[in-house]
Amino acid sequence: MGKTAYKRLLGSQSFRQRLLLATLSSTPVLIEDIRADETWPGLRNHEISLLRLFETVCDDCHVEINETGTKLKYKPGTIIGGRQHSAHDCGVSRSIGYFLEPLIVLCLFAKHPLTIRLKGITNDSKDPSVDIFKSTALPILKRFGVPSEGMELKIESRGLPPNGGGEVILSLPVVQSLSAVSWIDEGFVKKIRGTTFSTRVSVQFENSMIKATRGIINPLVSDVHIFSDHRSGPQAGNSPGYGISLVAETTSGCFISADTAVSHARDDDTSSLADDAKGDLMPPEDIGVATANSLLGEIGQSGVVDSTHQGLLFLLCALCPQDVSKVRVGKLSQHGVETLRNIRDFLNLKFIIKPEPNSQSVFLKCVGYGMKNLSRKVS
């Protein structure tokens, strides 16, 4: 057996996508100088947890980390998927949303449909919430030919920073290949749906968020429904907090989203927020207004997805058969630009990018990489 040739990379940037694209393209990678000059060098807990998650859903992959965590050797294996009987603990340094995007894209090409429990933080201010993945990311997959049967994200319990305690169940079908898309018409907003949540605080927090949100949205859209999800006991996780997610559905089948969550450490003596903590948190009325305005801003960008999901959109386009995909997005986000660079580096695939002069939107076109699920023939 010959010596393994590793693709050499530097730094910690784009760690999730590097790992994902290395696995999909069967490219062994050697990543060096991972935060080598920082006070706390090396891989973070959530990055190690992501590696362990990839080991769980793949067979025969090899992970080697040096003592300081600043050097990683990763040799991909076969994507197996399947029903995982043990839950994966995502930890509390990043939310479950950090893990979902690479996991979903990876396991579309698994040998067996995936069912897995993920434990950790369901809603925070860093990553997209599990609510947004359920209402926005999964419908995007359907655009690319992923069947809706067997695709589900179920929220068993909520978990907020700093102590988490949430749990979701992800079920995902497999595909033999994706379908190329021509998706450039964002349409007009026909309805808005939302979910407020609260854990270990009064349900009145949700009522205040709903009232404030409706004050912004109802004059613009008549079909608005915002549902409440108040949790208590074990289903409320280990930290108090509250938040809201909003999704606008358009006449052309686009889903544009925005969400906000706030939380604080729990007072040792009670299950509610400590008095001094309440002053540090954004009032629920302000959360409702801010999230509504954020959604309207995303809608105004004139794209078929919001800025949060540009990376997922570009990945799916790149992994399509060797046919042309055309999409339209708003102003390119930093995550979107990094995704395009990673696709170029790992798949040797470039997008044609054409800004639209009369708006902030951008047209992108590419010929797919031709990714196929070779481990299983899907009928």
Side-chain angles (χ1 to χ4, degrees):
M1 183 179 293
K3 187 177 180 181
T4 302
Y6 286 87
K7 183 179 180 69
R8 301 178 71 94
L9 302 167
L10 296 176
S12 61
Q13 64 271 22
S14 301
F15 183 80
R16 290 183 302 169
Q17 286 190 353
R18 285 175 167 181
L19 210 61
L20 170 64
L21 290 167
T23 307
L24 291 172
S25 62
S26 300
T27 304
V29 292
L30 170 62
I31 307 177
E32 298 178 288
D33 294 337
I34 302 173
R35 302 186 183 91
D37 298 327
E38 296 189 17
T39 304
W40 300 102
L43 292 166
R44 299 291 184 253
N45 289 338
H46 55 272
E47 292 166 336
I48 295 174
S49 181
L50 182 64
L51 281 165
R52 301 305 174 221
L53 179 59
F54 271 49
E55 286 183 306
T56 298
V57 298
C58 295
D59 187 30
D60 200 30
C61 67
H62 178 74
V63 176
E64 184 179 325
I65 306 170
N66 71 347
E67 290 185 2
T68 60
T70 57
K71 183 177 178 180
L72 165 69
K73 274 187 175 182
Y74 174 70
K75 184 178 179 182
T78 304
I79 310 167
I80 299 297
R83 179 177 294 275
Q84 303 297 325
H85 298 288
S86 299
H88 178 80
D89 188 351
C90 297
V92 293
S93 59
R94 293 294 290 264
S95 78
I96 293 172
Y98 171 87
F99 299 82
L100 281 176
E101 182 179 299
L103 180 63
I104 285 173
V105 176
L106 180 73
C107 288
L108 288 176
F109 300 96
K111 186 174 182 179
H112 303 289
L114 175 71
T115 299
I116 189 170
R117 287 179 177 266
L118 303 172
K119 292 185 175 182
I121 292 171
T122 57
N123 304 80
D124 72 354
S125 58
K126 291 181 182 179
D127 301 299
S129 68
V130 294
D131 303 272
I132 292 300
F133 267 94
K134 182 176 181 178
S135 61
T136 306
L138 297 188
I140 291 174
L141 297 183
K142 296 177 187 178
R143 275 275 180 174
F144 288 84
V146 180
S148 57
E149 184 179 355
M151 182 164 56
E152 183 184 17
L153 183 61
K154 185 177 181 182
I155 304 170
E156 295 282 280
S157 58
R158 296 275 177 182
L160 279 83
N163 299 320
E167 182 174 326
V168 304
I169 302 175
L170 173 66
S171 299
L172 197 67
V174 295
V175 297
Q176 187 162 13
S177 64
L178 299 174
S179 301
V181 298
S182 180
W183 194 12
I184 57 176
D185 178 19
E186 73 273 20
F188 299 96
V189 175
K190 65 177 183 179
K191 63 183 179 181
I192 292 177
R193 297 292 181 262
T195 301
T196 62
F197 70 88
S198 57
T199 62
R200 303 188 180 278
V201 296
S202 168
V203 71
Q204 184 60 39
F205 283 72
E206 295 189 59
N207 298 332
S208 299
M209 284 186 286
I210 292 173
K211 182 178 179 181
T213 302
R214 283 189 169 277
I216 301 292
I217 291 177
N218 275 31
L220 304 174
V221 182
S222 59
D223 189 353
V224 178
H225 290 283
I226 303 175
F227 304 93
S228 297
D229 184 17
H230 178 69
R231 301 288 180 116
S232 59
Q235 289 190 336
N238 302 324
S239 299
Y242 45 90
I244 182 172
S245 66
L246 298 172
V247 180
E249 183 179 350
T250 74
T251 52
S252 63
C254 300
F255 293 84
I256 310 298
S257 61
D259 69 339
T260 309
V262 296
S263 61
H264 206 284
R266 185 157 58 95
D267 187 7
D268 291 338
D269 300 323
T270 70
S271 61
S272 61
L273 293 177
D275 288 339
D276 59 344
K278 292 178 181 177
D280 296 337
L281 298 180
M282 184 185 296
E285 298 86 354
D286 292 354
I287 289 176
V289 171
T291 309
N293 285 329
S294 178
L295 179 66
L296 296 178
E298 291 285 359
I299 294 170
Q301 291 282 330
S302 301
V304 297
V305 299
D306 53 66
S307 57
T308 299
H309 292 92
Q310 285 184 13
L312 175 61
L313 177 67
F314 299 158
L315 283 168
L316 294 173
C317 286
L319 295 170
C320 280
Q322 293 179 337
D323 197 358
V324 177
S325 286
K326 302 175 184 178
V327 294
R328 182 187 186 201
V329 299
K331 182 180 179 181
L332 285 172
S333 65
Q334 181 180 350
H335 179 55
V337 173
E338 290 175 353
T339 303
L340 293 173
R341 289 172 178 163
N342 290 325
I343 290 170
R344 177 199 62 195
D345 292 344
F346 279 90
L347 305 182
N348 194 28
L349 189 154
K350 293 182 180 180
F351 283 69
I352 297 173
I353 303 174
K354 183 180 179 182
E356 186 180 53
N358 298 326
S359 72
Q360 297 184 54
S361 63
V362 180
F363 290 95
L364 296 98
K365 181 170 68 173
C366 77
V367 177
Y369 175 72
M371 183 72 187
K372 292 185 178 181
N373 189 341
L374 300 177
S375 61
R376 177 181 176 181
K377 186 176 179 60
V378 182
S379 57

